[in-house]
Each structure stands twice: as C-alpha cells, then as structure tokens.
Amino acid sequence: MRRRNQQRRAFWLLPVALAAAVAVAINCGYSQIPFADILTSLLRPGGPDASVVLLQIRLPRIILAVLCGMGLALSGCTLQAVTENPLADPGILGINAGAGFAVMVFLTAFPALHIDTMIYQPLFAMVGGLAVAVFLFRFAKRKGKMRPGYMLLGGIGVSAGFSALLLIMATDMENSSYQLVARWLAGNIWGSGWQQVEVLVFYLLILTPLILSRASVLDLLLLGEDASCALGVRVQRERKTLLLVAVALAASCVSVSGGIGFIGLVAPHVARRIVGVRHRLLLPASVLTGALLLLVADTAGRSFFQPIEIPVGIVISILSAPWFLYLLRKI
Amino acid sequence: MQSCMTADSLSAGYNGVPVFFDFDLEVPAGKITTLIGANGSGKSTILKTMSRLLSPTDGAVYLEGESIHRMPTKAVAQRLALLPQGSQTPSGITVEDLVEYGRFPYRSRLSGMTAEDREIIRWALACTTMTEMADREMDQLSGGQRQRGWIAMALAQKTGILFLDEPTTYLDISHQLEILQLLRQLNEQQGVTVVMVLHDLNHAIMFSDYLVAIKNGRKHCAGTPKDAITPQMLEDVFNIEAEVIQHPILDIQVCLPYGVRKAKT
C-alpha cells in the first residue's frame, strides 16, 4: 500500500515536467519572443500585438508534438500488453511503415485531393496499419496460438519492406515529392499547422477512452491467455479490440507526423520506472512521458543546431537506440 | 454423493486432433478430486475443457445444470477459479496486485475497488498466510510463496470450485506438501471443491477423496484412493510394476514402484 502511494505521488512529476517543457519550447527558436509578447499573444490571440510566429508556427507545432507523443506512447503501451512483448512498438512492428506507405499511396494517387481531405489521411493510414496488424496476427499464429515472438520478427521484416517500397516510389518522383517522402521516413512535425492539430485531436478524443477504460483488462492479459480467460476476460475479443485501437492511434499520429519510431517503446518503459506496472496509472503516465519525450526531442532538434533543423524522428532514434539495446540485453 | 459439476460425454482436442474422448465425470461437491495419468494422457486438456478454456468438440460441461461453454465468461469466473500450469507472472506486480486481479469478475469496466473487495483481498491473503508478503514483488518470492500468491488470487474470486493444473510442479518436497495441505485446509474450512491434476501418485492418494485415472484420453477408472489404486491399475495406466502397501504412519495405502513393465512378447 505504501508503495502504491509513492507511485501515485511520483506520477504528478510528469504533468509538472510536461508543463515546464512546454514553457521552454515556447521560448526556444530562431526568433526570440519576449515574455510579455508571449503573454499577450496567448491571452488575446486575435489582438493586434499577437505574435504570428508564436501562434501560427510554434504553438501548433508544440501541441502536435505533445499529441503525437501521447498517441504513439499509448499505442506502444497497449501493444506491449496485447502482444505480451516488452519490445513491441508501432514502429518496430511495422505499423508506422504500413500506415506511412498507405498515406504515400493516397498522396500520389490523389494529389489534388489531399489538401481538402486532411481528415481522410488518417483513415488511409489506418487501413495501411491495420493491413500490417492483420498480417502479423496471421503470421504469428502457430498451432492455433499467437506467438508474440514471431509477431516481432514479422514486424521487423514488414517495416524494412515498406521503407524500401517507399524509397522505390520516391525515386520516381519529382523533387518536391521526394523531399516529402524523405521527411516522412525520418519523422517530422516541421511545417505543421492548426489543421493537423484539429485532425489529430479529433481521432485521439475518440480512440484514447477506448484504451483507458480497459486498463484492468490490459493488466490481466499479461498473465497469459489461460489465466486471463480463467479470470473472465474475453481474451480473443479484447485482444482484437485493443490491437485495432492501438493501430488506429499510431496510424493517426503517423499520418500527420511521419514515422516517428521508438517513442512507443521507450515512453512506457520510462513510465513503468516511475509509476509501476499497473495500467490504471501506467497508461496515463506513458501518455505524459511520450508527450514530454517528443516535445523535448523536437525542441532540441530545432534549437541546438540552428539554423539547421534535425527531424524529431532522428533525434528520438539517436536518444532511444542505446535504450533499445539495453532492453534487449536485459530481456 | 452430491455433485456440483458434470462432464457429459465430453471430447476435445487441438486443431482437429482429438486428445480425449467421451469423458463422463460427476465432480463430488465439497471434496478433492484428482486426475492422474501418464504424460500426454489428456488430463490437462480435460481440466482446460471443464473450465471452459477450451471448447469441446462434443458433449458438454454443466455447472449446476447450466452449460459452462454457453455462460458469460465472467459469470463462470464467479463460480469457478482455475490456476493454469506454470502460470507466468508479469514482472513488477506485487502479491497484492495479483490478488486484486481475482476481483476482476465482479468489477465493471470503470468501477474502482469497493470496501468489500478490499475485505476479501485481506481475507484471501490471510488464508494463504501471505499478509506479510502483500507488498513484495512476485518475482522476488520463492516458488512456494509464489504459488500461495496465485492460490490467494483464486480465493479472491470467491468461487465454490477451484481447479489446479499441477500446482506442485517445480517445488521442492516441503513446499509441495505445504501447498497440498493448504488446499486440504481450504477444502475443509471453506468447503471449496478442489479438482486438480497431480503427477505424484502418493500425494494424490494422501490428499484426494476421489481419484480419476486417465489412459490415452479415456477414463480408465475412478473411485476413492483405496479402491482405485491397485497393482493392476498402476500397470494398466502407468505401465509400471508397483506394490501397494499400508503407510506405516498414516491410515492410507501407498504405492511403491519397482520397475517399468516389460513389453509383452
């Protein structure tokens, strides 16, 4: 009991840290904005003194980083429980790549449409992500049982395959499209505006409660199929629902940000160290940790090497690769 | 003898390959029933099918007259608890966490724990003498303590029937006896009906009221240990030559194997 209270207290560090990171991010950037201007811009966004840089460029980007980090971390945390594999992550499982590929097909097939149909882009991404998930489920099924290990192997293969396909598609493109693909593969939230924020908020609001309300089911799934079934969990059905929602979450994020990997892997592991393994606390903690990590990585990527910007996906990979190796060693 | 659960000409298997056939069983209420048999004879599969983890290919299982495979799975979990063989414990969960999971069948999706839940968790920990260990992580416990934690989880389900698949595997002899004595105690004090699979024949004799011997997916014989355990049965079911003798201390018969039966020419 004492332990649980400690974890509950530790949880509150996360929103505080996130608020601090947002404050720092608002102040970081090519053009310095005085604190007074920030206040007037935020309080009276329509006013004559409002800063355009802050309201139209920096703020949507910060919010998008926070939202993407939330969605990818929640997706990763769910996938880790559903596949009973601590190394699961929408990037590693190839879901991001499948979603990215579908979006690319959408963009090249309907180039005139995509400006008006931003809202449909995530739907295409979901189809791509789900196709990968369905394939993985089939691939991982051996003798009527799902083998989580095969799922990971299949995902790595799918991921490599789709990345290669994207590059092949890109070589045939005019220069501007090629840059779009390259940006996609790296994972970037540069140049995003309020429209992307609105789209992502819409999908996150629908999908997040579906997972948060299943926190106790996620706890039980980790006991294994037999034990969770004996406790009254409809294992097959819950697994499918959770997988579907996790894929949809990752796909909506990927459709606005490109394939940012590792957040879904690292954020839940960091959150576990802070609040323990029970999903009632772990899910919200992962969400906040993911938001924090992605925002910090994006802020670092755009501030440290000015005037060059490093795509956030690359910053995250550089930060996370050693962690991934450490996890592999431990498991 | 009153029965609380019935298997009626039950058959099941994996991927179309049948494992056991035409199995009938009346589980005696308030008693300890043990399934015995050689490896691969189908005892674990019978246990899984009778606890609705596996769907039967034929026949049915009735729990107080209702077919268990047609009942909502949460409703079954309120009446029957099962400890699968060699359960995996996710790293990081404490004993108390695990016992709390036992309350899942009674909770709706968003409800927190009620005072009654907490009371039952305390009771389950006390029954298994795990109260002191409640805050410890399952990973850090010995095999025997971990198994007691699992039993506490099953108790928190507050079911009248408890199934266990080889609850003593991987434990040393003193922990094996400790777990079996705990089960006997729960059976006598709480009136829990126990159905389990055991490998050790003498443990099965010592701790069971009713034995069911399985051979090649079929029920070979059933009865009280005294009736069921005979040199002939041991030869038929386990392919061993054994003597059945009186235990020097306890009032039971035990078996002493002395060789594998030679192949008939």
Side-chain angles (χ1 to χ4, degrees), chain A residues 1-4 84 143-145 212-214 216-217 219-234 238 277-278 280, chain B residues 15 48 52-53 73-74 77 82 84 88 90-94 96-98 100-102 104-105 107 109-112 135 137 150 153 157:
Chain A
M1 266 331 242
R2 194 189 312 147
R3 197 186 141 102
R4 215 171 281 179
E84 293 170 39
K143 293 183 181 166
K145 285 238 167 192
L212 292 183
S213 65
R214 286 180 167 78
S216 52
V217 173
D219 280 340
L220 264 61
L221 282 177
L222 283 172
L223 298 177
E225 192 168 333
D226 285 352
S228 47
C229 177
L231 282 165
V233 177
R234 285 177 293 186
E238 294 287 359
V277 295
R278 296 291 302 273
R280 187 174 277 261
Chain B
N15 296 319
K48 274 191 174 184
R52 61 90 171 74
L53 260 55
T73 181
K74 267 194 176 178
L82 163 89
Q88 66 190 47
S91 59
I93 66 164
T94 62
E96 195 180 9
D97 285 330
L98 188 70
E100 203 186 301
Y101 292 173
F104 180 81
R107 290 166 62 186
R109 185 148 283 165
L110 288 171
S111 67
D135 260 344
E137 281 184 25
W150 278 99
M153 181 202 82
Q157 274 178 262

Side-chain angles (χ1 to χ4, degrees), chain B residues 145-160:
Chain B
Q145 291 168 332
R146 207 175 302 156
Q147 191 62 283
R148 286 205 328 253
W150 278 99
I151 292 173
M153 181 202 82
L155 283 182
Q157 274 178 262
K158 275 282 182 183
T159 59

Side-chain angles (χ1 to χ4, degrees), chain A residues 223 231, chain B residues 77 80-84 87 89 93-106 113 116-136 138 141 143-159 161-164 167 178-179 182-183 186 190 192:
Chain A
L223 298 177
L231 282 165
Chain B
L80 184 154
L82 163 89
L83 285 196
S87 308
T89 19
I93 66 164
T94 62
V95 175
E96 195 180 9
D97 285 330
L98 188 70
V99 180
E100 203 186 301
Y101 292 173
R103 297 307 295 161
F104 180 81
Y106 298 91
M113 295 235 288
E116 192 197 355
D117 288 331
R118 276 179 225 290
E119 186 53 46
I120 288 168
I121 290 166
R122 262 199 297 279
W123 164 82
L125 286 167
C127 279
T128 49
T129 59
M130 290 295 279
T131 309
E132 306 274 289
M133 310 273 175
D135 260 344
R136 297 269 293 275
M138 286 289 282
L141 301 181
Q145 291 168 332
R146 207 175 302 156
Q147 191 62 283
R148 286 205 328 253
W150 278 99
I151 292 173
M153 181 202 82
L155 283 182
Q157 274 178 262
K158 275 282 182 183
T159 59
I161 306 171
L162 176 57
F163 277 33
L164 305 100
E178 185 189 293
I179 292 296
L182 171 63
L183 293 174
L186 292 172
Q190 320 279 351
V192 178

